[in-house]
């Protein structure tokens, strides 16, 4: 998988075309990676999010929207909303897949060549990390095979547990 990379660290520091934000439906910021992105980007990000909400209302889980990136080093932020894990009985897997897929589709529409994903839904939203990782990798792999315009996808893990899971599932151990 030459076009898929794994990193450990803070997504706000990356110099890629787009970073993905694990937002909530309000698009008004929050904790976790969402809070970090809004803090690092500055107030213009929230302003753009407010304008989007005025137009389309709240963002349903699985959907994605794009904004500029304020003070961040990347060019765009793609905001998506992952599912809240409720035991797996509420289509959480499909919604997570759609969050990755719709983010990637927006990337292609905006001629984005490099994109970085956090581990959507695996923090406050409680999605099991192993399963989330499998869904993330299979969705991204399948998409990049069919979309050569995407030159690089980075999975960036903030916590050690996710990093180890991704390392194993991407076959990067030894
Ligand atoms: N860079 C990369 N990954 C990060 C960073 C960072 N700076 N900070 C945290 N993570 P979460 P969710 C990882 O809770 O589960 C927010 O309040 C973290 O280790 O940020 O989708 C939103 O507003 C975890 O693996 O997002 C929503 O209300 C991953 O990011 C809600 O949380 C996702 O954890 C969304 O919950």
């Amino acid at each position: 998988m030459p076009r898929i990379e794994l990193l450990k660290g803070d997504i706000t520091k990356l110099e890629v075309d787009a970073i993905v934000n694990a937002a909530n439906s309000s698009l008004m910021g929050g904790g976790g990676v969402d809070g970090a992105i809004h803090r690092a980007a500055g107030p213009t990000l929230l302003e753009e999010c407010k304008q989007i909400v005025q137009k389309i209302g709240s963002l349903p889980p699985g959907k994605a929207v794009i904004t500029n990136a304020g003070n961040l080093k990347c060019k765009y932020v793609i905001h998506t909303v992952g599912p809240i894990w409720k035991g797996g009985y509420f289509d959480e897997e499909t919604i997570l897949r759609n969050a990755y897929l719709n983010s990637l589709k927006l990337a292609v529409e905006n001629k984005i060549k490099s994109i970085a994903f956090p581990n959507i839904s695996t923090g406050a939203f409680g999605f099991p990390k192993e399963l989330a990782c499998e869904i993330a990798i299979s969705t991204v792999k399948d998409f990049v095979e069919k979309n050569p315009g995407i030159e690089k996808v980075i999975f960036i893990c903030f916590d050690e547990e996710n990093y180890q899971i991704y390392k194993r599932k991407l076959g990067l151990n030894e």
Side-chain angles (χ1 to χ4, degrees), residues 22-172:
N24 60 59
S25 292
S26 78
L27 291 182
M28 291 299 106
V33 70
D34 193 10
I37 289 173
H38 274 276
R39 271 194 304 278
T44 59
L45 197 69
L46 187 59
E47 275 314 308
E48 281 192 55
C49 286
K50 282 183 181 163
Q51 282 170 21
I52 289 170
V53 172
Q54 265 176 13
K55 255 193 240 154
I56 67 163
S58 63
L59 187 66
K63 302 282 186 197
V65 294
I66 190 165
T67 63
N68 293 298
N71 299 327
L72 291 165
K73 289 186 178 122
C74 57
K75 295 182 199 142
Y76 300 101
V77 177
I78 292 173
H79 307 257
T80 191
V81 182
I84 298 172
W85 181 258
K86 295 175 185 159
Y89 304 107
F90 296 88
D91 260 347
E92 293 97 318
E93 293 182 39
T94 308
I95 296 168
L96 187 62
R97 193 173 293 282
N98 287 341
Y100 281 94
L101 201 54
N102 286 320
S103 299
L104 289 163
K105 284 182 183 165
L106 262 186
V108 169
E109 282 165 29
N110 288 277
K111 304 202 177 348
I112 285 161
K113 293 186 166 60
S114 55
I115 179 169
F117 282 97
N119 308 134
I120 300 167
S121 279
T122 67
F125 282 0
F127 202 106
K129 290 178 178 176
E130 292 257 350
L131 182 56
C133 174
E134 283 165 18
I135 291 167
I137 291 173
S138 66
T139 307
V140 165
K141 256 172 112 172
D142 188 52
F143 190 89
V144 296
E145 270 166 27
K146 296 173 190 152
N147 292 273
I150 302 280
E151 292 172 4
K152 185 161 72 173
V153 179
I154 297 173
F155 289 119
I156 179 154
C157 303
F158 196 66
D159 59 274
E160 182 65 19
E161 192 188 354
N162 261 318
Y163 182 65
Q164 291 303 333
I165 292 170
Y166 270 79
K167 229 168 124 179
R168 179 159 40 82
K169 300 231 185 257
L170 285 168
L172 302 174

